[in-house]
Amino acid sequence: MDMLDLYRTGTPFLAVADAAAAVAFYRLAFDADVRMLLKAEGRVMHAALLIHGGLVVVVDEMPEVGLFSVDHYGGVPMSILVSCPDADTAVERAQAAGATVLAPVQDSFSGDRHGLIRCPYGYRWVLSTRVRPQSIAETEHRFQAWVAAGGTVGAVPSSNGPRPQVVAEYSAGDRHREG
């Protein structure tokens, strides 16, 4: 297989302070398969990891080209969603390897069961399993019911202000919209 076949639009590219240790953690926590590991100048310049069928690239920080780890920025404003066969087992395995559980595994209005962890390298990972197939329309209905019932995300309490208006918007050309 050509390595380029593994790369998709939106492949996560994670810079960390110790990429060799991060690769070892991801292998233990997520059963990552190292597909490529390129080292130079005492650093990991490119580690291509296959995690539950999706590619993630891990590299050492390279300040000389403006590539810094999460610590440089004081956190990261995004999470990486990984679809896996068993979210409960995946979160337990990640926690045993050293991850911090930010939100326990629970069922969602989306038909998924998922939990949120932070790896020792500062990245947040949503580990998710589809437990109930459902249409987009059903997901929207279940979401609206969840919001109306005062649903909150994880352990974060809802605000004391008014509930947000629930709006589902799609462009005219959105092929994924169901009737």
Side-chain angles (χ1 to χ4, degrees), residues 1-6 8 35 50:
M1 170 188 288
D2 185 330
M3 277 300 295
L4 290 178
D5 292 339
L6 295 174
R8 304 284 186 240
R35 304 309 290 264
L50 199 57

Side-chain angles (χ1 to χ4, degrees), residues 5-43:
D5 292 339
L6 295 174
Y7 291 84
R8 304 284 186 240
T9 300
T11 299
F13 190 94
L14 313 180
V16 298
D18 185 348
V23 167
F25 169 80
Y26 296 137
R27 289 183 73 190
L28 183 63
F30 302 142
D31 196 27
D33 179 17
V34 179
R35 304 309 290 264
M36 181 188 324
L37 182 61
L38 305 175
K39 296 180 181 181
E41 304 170 9
R43 298 186 287 189

Side-chain angles (χ1 to χ4, degrees), residues 15 25 33 35 38 41 44 49 61 72 79 84 86-87 89 93 95 98 104 107 140 156 166 172:
F25 169 80
D33 179 17
R35 304 309 290 264
L38 305 175
E41 304 170 9
V44 173
L49 310 177
E61 288 185 290
H72 176 81
S79 298
C84 56
D86 183 346
T89 300
R93 181 178 179 151
Q95 185 176 27
D107 292 339
E140 291 169 353
V156 179
V166 178

Side-chain angles (χ1 to χ4, degrees), residues 78-170:
M78 50 80 73
S79 298
I80 301 163
L81 174 64
V82 176
S83 294
C84 56
D86 183 346
D88 293 271
T89 300
V91 167
E92 288 171 11
R93 181 178 179 151
Q95 185 176 27
T100 302
V101 176
L102 301 176
V105 178
Q106 56 190 344
D107 292 339
S108 169
F109 59 83
S110 66
D112 294 340
R113 183 165 174 74
H114 57 261
L116 176 65
I117 61 115
R118 183 178 51 242
C119 74
Y121 304 93
Y123 290 95
R124 293 187 318 248
W125 299 76
V126 178
L127 303 174
S128 181
T129 300
R130 174 61 51 148
V131 293
R132 183 176 184 272
Q134 61 191 38
S135 67
I136 291 173
E138 185 178 358
T139 300
E140 291 169 353
H141 173 76
R142 289 171 53 95
F143 174 73
Q144 291 171 357
W146 176 77
V147 170
T152 60
V153 178
V156 179
S158 61
S159 70
N160 292 329
R163 298 307 262 159
Q165 179 182 5
V166 178
V167 178
E169 295 182 13
Y170 301 90

